[in-house]
Amino acid sequence: MEPGRTNDMSHAPLDTATLHSAASQDSVRRADEEQERAWKQKIHQKLMKVLDLSLLGTLGRVEAERQLSEIGQRLMAEESIPLSLSARQRILRQIQDDILGLGPLEPLLADSSISDILVNGSHCIYVERNGKLEKVNVSFLNDTHLLNTIDRIVSSVGRRIDESSPMVDARLKDGSRVNAIIPPLAVDGPLLSIRRFSIGRLSMDALMERGTLTPPIAALLEGIVRGRLNVLISGGTGSGKTTLLNVMSGFVPDDERIVTIEDSAELQLQQPHVARLETRPPNIENRGEVTQRDLVRNSLRMRPDRIIVGEVRGAEALDMLQAMNTGHDGSMTTLHANAPRDALTRIENMVSMTGTTMPVKAIRSQVASAIDVVVQVERQEDGTRRLVSVQEINGMEGDVITMSEIFSFRRVGRNESGQVVGHYRATGIVPRFQEHLQQRGIILPLSLYDPDTEV
């Protein structure tokens, strides 16, 4: 017999035993988890019978957790549950999260590396880390458990969700955006999407470290903001539009009055003179709605130096253009679009949706005179959010808005680890606003636009 064949046969029983042992351990682990889950439900039910939830709601989080822990430990002692100390502590923590927080989502919300939490039914939860989606080993007990959590979120901000109103937008206490949709619209169970709110405000240096842009482009963006040019930041969902808007708004001088208008307050401006406005949805009687268009119109009466709209989505586009054209220069906003040219088309379509009888050429003329710069951002396949184009709007030629690209990201492929490889280059075009910036004392060297220099 060949030595190799002898070795293979001698190892076969060991491999089988190893597999049996692993399967046995997995079976024991699942049984322990099931037992722990069953005890958690039992203790939770007993707690709900003895708790005064209205009184608990008046306490601070720390005191409420302490009382829940004391009562839970007493109930566990009375039941003499056959679980380890660590398992008991885990059960108490989960019960506290269910009653005071968002249940199984609490550990995910505490993880700063997670930017999005996507719940596709009670037993399927994904998160986004570093621009990539991954499934996590976290779940709700059932759809009722998930529905209770959704109801707790929306009721805390004065909104409701039920069969008659099965979709809702809300936000958590930390500012994170929440969207929920339930049956009958959600076919396979309730859906919950949470866009995390960034606690730490990013700086331009941090964006450069991440590869979002380069120092020459950062210098140009700073000059654009300080020179009071009107800026439109365009990009897809999750491409970093709001983040870039936050960073660029940091260049606004402290002695200017800024009015921000958002559907859900996310901007973190650090200037001392900021008036923050937020839309309001209709109440249960379908009354009391305040739209972004209402707020943009009202902001004109608030003596703003600059108006910053978190994102234009509809009829407010017309009022935003009129504000930019009537002395509120230096205003900024974001918009969903795949390219700078598409962004202008979307604004044109939004203005048309208002029912205005303005001819198309007049609308385009308004757009061309209102917006000075379009900045395009993109979330690429490797998860990196990157600025891919800076374009100046030159004006009108016939019925067409003319644009000039100043900087662009030229991708050349992907490396072995899957990262997008490319470089930034100037196109060689000196923007027409260069002279405008010089008149305001903002000096940008002409070498910045040299096409032979990699930026």
Side-chain angles (χ1 to χ4, degrees):
M1 185 178 292
E2 296 177 11
R5 292 181 61 84
T6 302
N7 289 340
D8 289 344
M9 292 181 67
S10 64
H11 278 81
L14 179 60
D15 292 340
T16 303
T18 302
L19 289 173
H20 281 308
S21 175
S24 176
Q25 290 175 4
D26 191 49
S27 177
V28 169
R29 179 181 57 79
R30 283 199 301 269
D32 288 343
E33 288 177 352
E34 189 62 37
Q35 183 185 35
E36 192 173 312
R37 201 158 30 238
W39 276 111
K40 178 202 164 187
Q41 285 184 275
K42 187 172 183 178
I43 298 300
H44 193 172
Q45 290 170 356
K46 285 182 171 290
L47 260 173
M48 297 306 290
K49 291 178 181 178
V50 301
L51 275 177
D52 184 346
L53 290 180
S54 61
L55 178 62
L56 197 67
T58 63
L59 303 175
R61 178 76 184 235
V62 175
E63 178 61 20
E65 286 183 353
R66 187 188 66 78
Q67 292 199 17
L68 282 174
S69 181
E70 287 181 359
I71 299 171
Q73 288 174 358
R74 188 173 71 246
L75 291 174
M76 286 181 178
E78 291 173 359
E79 293 289 337
S80 301
I81 64 173
L83 295 176
S84 66
L85 177 61
S86 61
R88 293 185 181 204
Q89 291 174 338
R90 191 160 49 246
I91 286 176
L92 286 174
R93 180 76 259 172
Q94 291 172 355
I95 290 174
Q96 288 170 349
D97 289 342
D98 281 342
I99 295 175
L100 303 175
L102 302 185
L105 300 183
E106 284 292 325
L108 303 180
L109 290 168
D111 187 343
S112 60
S113 68
I114 293 175
S115 56
D116 286 277
I117 301 172
L118 309 170
V119 182
N120 305 330
S122 56
H123 292 91
C124 182
I125 300 177
Y126 284 83
V127 300
E128 182 187 294
R129 284 190 178 96
N130 302 317
K132 293 288 188 178
L133 289 175
E134 59 182 75
K135 191 173 182 179
V136 291
N137 187 27
V138 171
S139 66
F140 289 85
L141 295 175
N142 46 45
D143 283 355
T144 302
H145 187 196
L146 174 53
L147 280 169
N148 288 338
T149 301
I150 292 173
D151 188 61
R152 191 180 304 121
I153 293 171
V154 300
S155 61
S156 67
V157 291
R159 303 183 186 181
R160 68 188 180 96
I161 187 166
D162 51 37
E163 285 192 7
S164 63
S165 180
M167 294 187 297
V168 71
D169 285 311
R171 75 170 188 267
L172 302 180
K173 291 180 180 178
D174 67 355
S176 297
R177 281 187 294 176
V178 177
N179 176 268
I181 181 167
I182 65 173
L185 300 187
V187 178
D188 299 318
L191 302 174
L192 178 66
S193 306
I194 301 176
R195 171 66 57 84
R196 296 294 307 283
F197 180 78
S198 177
I199 301 298
R201 184 175 179 274
L202 286 176
S203 64
M204 192 63 82
D205 289 339
L207 292 186
M208 288 188 282
E209 289 175 9
R210 294 181 176 196
T212 301
L213 42 75
T214 59
I217 296 176
L220 178 67
L221 295 181
E222 180 177 356
I224 286 170
V225 175
R226 293 192 182 280
R228 300 183 64 88
L229 299 178
N230 293 326
V231 180
L232 173 64
I233 300 174
S234 166
T237 300
S239 57
K241 300 185 297 297
T242 303
T243 298
L244 183 58
L245 179 61
N246 250 325
V247 172
M248 290 180 64
S249 66
F251 296 127
V252 177
D254 288 348
D255 60 354
E256 294 186 16
R257 175 173 168 81
I258 307 168
V259 177
T260 67
I261 298 165
E262 301 174 85
D263 264 339
S264 182
E266 290 182 283
L267 295 173
Q268 304 174 62
L269 275 64
Q270 303 301 304
Q271 287 82 351
H273 200 165
V274 179
R276 304 174 71 206
L277 305 179
E278 186 179 46
T279 61
R280 185 177 71 183
N283 60 20
I284 194 169
E285 298 172 346
N286 204 33
R287 296 178 181 176
E289 180 180 18
V290 180
T291 66
Q292 281 203 140
R293 186 172 194 186
D294 297 328
L295 294 178
V296 172
R297 286 176 172 176
N298 187 77
S299 70
L300 301 178
R301 306 183 186 100
M302 298 173 64
R303 199 261 175 222
D305 287 308
R306 301 189 194 226
I307 298 172
I308 299 179
V309 180
E311 181 181 334
V312 288
R313 295 187 177 92
E316 67 274 7
L318 176 59
D319 300 283
M320 183 70 193
L321 291 178
Q322 291 176 341
M324 289 177 169
N325 275 321
T326 53
H328 299 92
D329 48 347
S331 296
M332 294 182 279
T333 187
T334 72
L335 176 120
H336 274 82
N338 294 326
R341 176 66 61 181
D342 294 341
L344 302 186
T345 303
R346 281 213 64 208
I347 289 184
E348 181 184 323
N349 292 338
M350 289 176 189
V351 173
S352 300
M353 287 165 54
T354 64
T356 180
T357 56
M358 289 172 60
V360 172
K361 185 174 182 179
I363 295 174
R364 291 178 181 170
S365 179
Q366 283 262 338
V367 173
S369 60
I371 301 170
D372 298 301
V373 179
V374 180
V375 178
Q376 184 72 28
V377 291
E378 180 181 292
R379 181 174 63 175
Q380 300 182 323
E381 307 94 286
D382 59 359
T384 302
R385 273 89 168 173
R386 186 171 273 124
L387 185 153
V388 294
S389 180
V390 178
Q391 298 200 22
E392 178 187 30
I393 295 181
N394 300 319
M396 295 280 293
E397 283 189 9
D399 292 343
V400 179
I401 299 174
T402 59
M403 307 175 73
S404 299
E405 189 166 53
I406 304 168
F407 286 105
S408 66
F409 178 76
R410 309 287 176 84
R411 59 183 297 165
V412 295
R414 299 175 70 177
N415 61 21
E416 295 177 354
S417 60
Q419 300 293 309
V420 173
V421 177
H423 53 266
Y424 286 96
R425 282 201 180 277
T427 60
I429 296 175
V430 178
R432 296 169 64 179
F433 59 70
Q434 175 79 359
E435 183 179 350
H436 169 82
L437 297 184
Q438 288 179 345
Q439 291 171 354
R440 288 180 173 265
I442 301 166
I443 308 301
L444 296 176
L446 290 177
S447 59
L448 196 71
Y449 312 110
D450 185 354
D452 296 326
T453 304
E454 188 172 311
V455 297

